[in-house]
Amino acid sequence: MKKIFFASFFAIFAVLFSFSEENSVASRDYVPVNIGVFGHRQYPFGDYGKHVYFEEGLGLMGDYALPFLLANHEFGVAAHLLSGRILSGNTALENSSLISFYGGAWLDFPLKFDISFRPELDFGFTTRTETIREEEKSYTDSLFQVVGSFRWQPKSLFEDELSFEFAPYFSLVPFEDNTTIFFGMRLGVVYNFGKMIHTIKVRRAERGIQEIRDTLKNLSVSDVSVQRNSDGLTLIMDNIQFAANSAELAESEKAKLDALKPLFEEHKNNLLIAGYCADDGSAENSMHISAAQAGAVADYLIQKGVRSESEVLVVGRGSLDSLGDNSTDSGKTKNRRVEITLLEK
């Protein structure tokens, strides 16, 4: 029985992974980690059920959505830790308890009314401790579980941060003397921990953007805006002035960089300096000019002692990521820019 049990478990997982494929789930802007608490009760069948009425207790759970889809459905892994008591009809049994740890994989099927159905396959271990006539005995067995979890995530009340779970399940425990099947249910509350961390980071970033905007205003620096991207906070120097088709900084731009020095001293992050051009010539020439212009800004900041060479990364991006219409003079002016990103550590 145990050989069949283990072989079936690993065969199911082999099939699941063989059909998995990478998808847009990986592009989430937060780590999809959920943590929760639950209560459970399970009823045994077979010989074990002749002297045990039911088992119940409390537990902790966590799950993580992987960057894969199975048949266009979200796929992930989960882990559970629970403890509880055993209610038995054996009058000689003075005390009994259990503790179980198991984990596995789940597949999510969205339904209506913010409800999703999440079948789950789990494998783990369970330890039962019994005290009979002051003699304590413990035994550990493997555990295989098939779960049909229903999760209700009322987004109108909690956005996507909180959900409630009702999960009937069947467990198979291959005791040494006989294999026992349990039917159980768990009720739980699940919190999207990853969403919370993402929210905290976003709020910190928003505060950081506002602080830099305030600093720019106090420094009376014009034609410089700030935004956040995946690398960090970025200062966008619009309409930056160079000598025609060269990388020689205009005096007005040097004065602008001098004015930004207090900001760079306040924020000690390494810098990513990216140059951009209007789409006026060949792509190769645009890349060359934009890299040279970004290098000129970097060299000036290094010369002024704002950063050392090892703390500055320079890239030229040519006419990529245009902000304006290259068919108009105003659009071309908008596309000629240098972006200085305060890299997140």
Side-chain angles (χ1 to χ4, degrees):
M1 175 63 74
K2 288 187 177 181
K3 291 181 178 179
I4 297 175
F5 166 68
F6 281 109
S8 300
F9 178 78
F10 288 111
I12 291 171
F13 267 75
V15 171
L16 288 175
F17 279 103
S18 68
F19 283 99
S20 63
E21 58 182 72
E22 194 167 351
N23 74 102
S24 59
V25 175
S27 65
R28 291 176 188 265
D29 55 2
Y30 64 91
V31 179
V33 176
N34 297 311
I35 57 174
V37 295
F38 64 91
H40 79 99
R41 175 177 286 191
Q42 59 186 22
Y43 299 87
F45 296 91
D47 292 341
Y48 185 74
K50 293 179 180 178
H51 64 87
V52 171
Y53 298 142
F54 60 81
E55 300 175 347
E56 64 181 4
L58 299 173
L60 299 173
M61 59 182 166
D63 63 59
Y64 173 70
L66 294 171
F68 300 95
L69 284 183
L70 290 176
N72 293 321
H73 292 280
E74 193 174 63
F75 171 58
V77 293
H80 301 78
L81 175 66
L82 64 88
S83 63
R85 61 169 186 157
I86 302 171
L87 186 62
S88 173
N90 187 348
T91 56
L93 189 63
E94 299 171 1
N95 187 31
S96 60
S97 62
L98 78 153
I99 183 168
S100 302
F101 176 77
Y102 53 91
W106 51 262
L107 196 62
D108 189 82
F109 294 85
L111 305 176
K112 295 182 178 181
F113 310 113
D114 295 330
I115 297 174
S116 65
F117 175 61
R118 182 175 288 196
E120 183 178 319
L121 295 175
D122 294 315
F123 169 73
F125 299 92
T126 179
T127 299
R128 287 166 169 78
T129 303
E130 299 177 345
T131 303
I132 301 177
R133 297 185 180 92
E134 298 183 354
E135 181 180 350
E136 187 175 277
K137 179 183 178 181
S138 295
Y139 45 96
T140 299
D141 295 278
S142 52
L143 164 70
F144 177 71
Q145 192 171 89
V146 178
V147 185
S149 171
F150 292 89
R151 287 199 178 179
W152 178 46
Q153 192 175 59
K155 297 181 180 180
S156 59
L157 298 177
F158 305 107
E159 295 185 354
D160 56 353
E161 294 183 357
L162 196 67
S163 59
F164 302 90
E165 181 186 58
F166 166 68
Y169 61 85
F170 283 97
S171 294
L172 184 148
V173 180
F175 292 132
E176 291 184 1
D177 51 351
N178 62 80
T179 297
T180 300
I181 294 177
F182 294 84
F183 171 71
M185 292 171 287
R186 71 177 187 237
L187 292 173
V189 179
V190 183
Y191 188 76
N192 191 324
F193 185 74
K195 181 70 174 180
M196 179 188 70
I197 298 299
H198 170 68
T199 301
I200 291 173
K201 289 183 177 180
V202 168
R203 289 175 179 171
R204 286 178 178 172
E206 289 173 349
R207 287 198 298 269
I209 290 174
Q210 190 56 50
E211 288 174 2
I212 290 178
R213 284 174 178 164
D214 293 341
T215 300
L216 292 173
K217 184 177 180 180
N218 293 335
L219 295 174
S220 300
V221 178
S222 60
D223 292 330
V224 177
S225 58
V226 59
Q227 67 180 27
R228 177 176 175 77
N229 58 34
S230 59
D231 294 318
L233 296 177
T234 298
L235 301 174
I236 303 174
M237 300 180 66
D238 297 319
N239 193 28
I240 189 164
Q241 301 295 311
F242 293 90
N245 295 320
S246 78
E248 183 181 346
L249 268 172
E251 291 301 320
S252 60
E253 303 310 310
K254 293 180 181 179
K256 190 182 298 182
L257 291 172
D258 289 339
L260 289 173
K261 188 174 180 180
L263 188 149
F264 293 128
E265 291 175 343
E266 180 181 353
H267 299 273
K268 302 295 184 179
N269 312 57
N270 288 352
L271 303 180
L272 169 63
I273 302 178
Y276 296 84
C277 291
D279 189 11
D280 279 333
S282 67
E284 182 180 356
N285 188 54
S286 294
M287 284 291 184
H288 175 74
I289 292 176
S290 63
Q293 292 178 344
V297 173
D299 290 342
Y300 188 79
L301 293 176
I302 293 169
Q303 175 190 339
K304 291 295 183 176
V306 173
R307 292 291 189 276
S308 65
E309 288 187 22
S310 62
E311 295 172 323
V312 179
L313 177 65
V314 175
V315 295
R317 291 180 174 154
S319 58
L320 299 175
D321 301 323
S322 295
L323 298 180
D325 185 354
N326 277 298
S327 65
T328 65
D329 290 339
S330 60
K332 289 180 179 181
T333 298
K334 196 170 187 179
N335 292 331
R336 297 187 186 104
R337 67 191 190 279
V338 170
E339 297 183 356
I340 305 175
T341 300
L342 304 169
L343 294 172
E344 291 184 344
K345 297 179 180 179

